[in-house]
Amino acid sequence: MKPVSRSGRFSSGPAADVAAFSESISFDHRLWQHDIRGSVAHATMLHEVGILSSKELKDIRKGLEAIGSEIAAGMFTWKAELEDVHMNIEAELTRRVAAGAKLHTARSRNDQVALDIRLWLRDEIDALSGEVRGLQAALVGLGTRHADVVIPGYTHLQRAQPVWLAHHLLAYAEMLERDLGRLADARRRANVCPLGSGAIAGTTLPIDRERVAVLLGFCDAKGKPCVTQNSMDGVSDRDFLVEFAAAAALLAVHLSRLAEDIILWVGSEFGFVRIDDAYTTGSSLMPQKKNPDVAELVRGKTGRVVGNLMSLLTLLKGLPMTYNRDLQEDKERVFDTADTVRASVRLMAAMLEHTHAVPEACRAAASDPLLLATDLADYLVRKGMPFRQAHHVVGAVVGLAEKWGKRLDQLTVEEFQSVDATFGPDVLGMLNLEAAMARREITGAPGTGEVRRQLTTWRRRLGLKGR
Ligand code: ARG
């Protein structure tokens, strides 16, 4: 069959290698549902403004529905010579019903593809956001199951101060919440209907763009239809894809950090958590190995997601107005980002549901009294000492303890007082871990009560049962 767009002007079809080089059906066929949805809405509007008769609309609708069922059932044959998903569906429709030849009235593939990819992106963002909520629930679940586990918090990967495990996990829930905000924001700007932009300059036909927008759900929060306001912009920009790719890349970066924490924690140097066998892999050579490959792959896949963002930016850079075939290259990049990030989020959530803390190892690491050196300085501050001086005094105490080969909690009150007379008998109580955890109760701190409150807030926000 001769490619649709070449009829008339051309005496031959494209050379075989040109066709192979320029086809997109091998990857854009996944837009078929959105393409059909857009076509049905467009045809409905064409009928309402008097361009299609009721019979023509009915034929087109039925034809598209039949084609949709065949595609869904895997019975539809995609033809590479028809280039892309838009021409494959339209050509097949036209082969079946004469009215199919009227469907492309007041429409170009340029605004059609801009429409399809926006429809696809909206669905994709909704699905991804649902998965991110699932990951937040997994984090909250792990934190709740081990609400009594304290670990050292780290800076510079050196033990710093004790935190509840839940506090560490909820840090990621917060990051993901901002990721969700960025995705919602990207969705809002993608949710504008470009159909009616035509190839570049709209149409002379009396179409109703707002009606199509309403039919396809391109409406703002108040239900007002949103349509692009400049036909050249409508067919040529893909900034909404860049925004999605950027939000997804940042989400992937957050996932990579969580993955790295898990990888460290399952290592025997930390030993803070264990992952069930089903979510780990073995080594082909070393029989004792149990590797956190899921976390490693999540970390590794971040590379391509960041790369996709760079590809998209570079694709758009310096493109002259308006549509250029370069834009066809947007799809594989955003498809890959969407698939990769969605799978990573889902697998991460599943892995966390099969992850368990090792309380003894956590406690052993967290009960190093050096982690409470800052609490000692705060103690001196409460007795009226300037913080800088308190920092110095506690530093001297730590140095002495090190010299004497003692833990901080093995020093006597007299030994503390030999460094500074401000220390009183109550100093030893400062080094009790439980009491220390109960002391950090300001908003956002890892205090016992505050972390409980945060867990409760998260459980309520995510609609989780219990507590
Ligand atoms: N497959 C094309 C794309 O993805 C559709 C638009 C083609 N438009 C054109 N003027 N050749 O961008």
Side-chain angles (χ1 to χ4, degrees), residues 277 280-293 296:
D277 288 356
T280 59
T281 53
S283 155
S284 58
L285 187 138
M286 299 165 282
Q288 86 284 11
K289 288 297 286 289
K290 194 170 135 175
N291 296 326
D293 287 31
E296 291 169 57

Side-chain angles (χ1 to χ4, degrees), residues 24 28 83-84 86 109-110 113 323 325 327-328 331:
S24 56
D28 70 10
E83 261 185 48
D84 57 25
H86 324 291
R109 267 191 300 159
N110 295 353
V113 71
Y323 179 85
R325 192 63 178 271
L327 291 178
Q328 181 167 293
K331 282 167 217 66

Side-chain angles (χ1 to χ4, degrees), residues 19 35 53 58 68 73 82 87 97 157 177 187 201 239 251 269 274 304 313 378 385-387 399 415 447:
D35 196 70
S53 71
K58 208 173 125 217
L82 288 171
M87 296 220 287
V97 299
L157 208 51
E177 191 64 22
R187 189 194 193 284
D239 54 358
L251 167 56
E269 275 70 15
R274 283 202 194 97
R304 57 202 264 185
L313 286 167
D378 290 348
M385 192 182 283
F387 179 75
E415 284 169 331

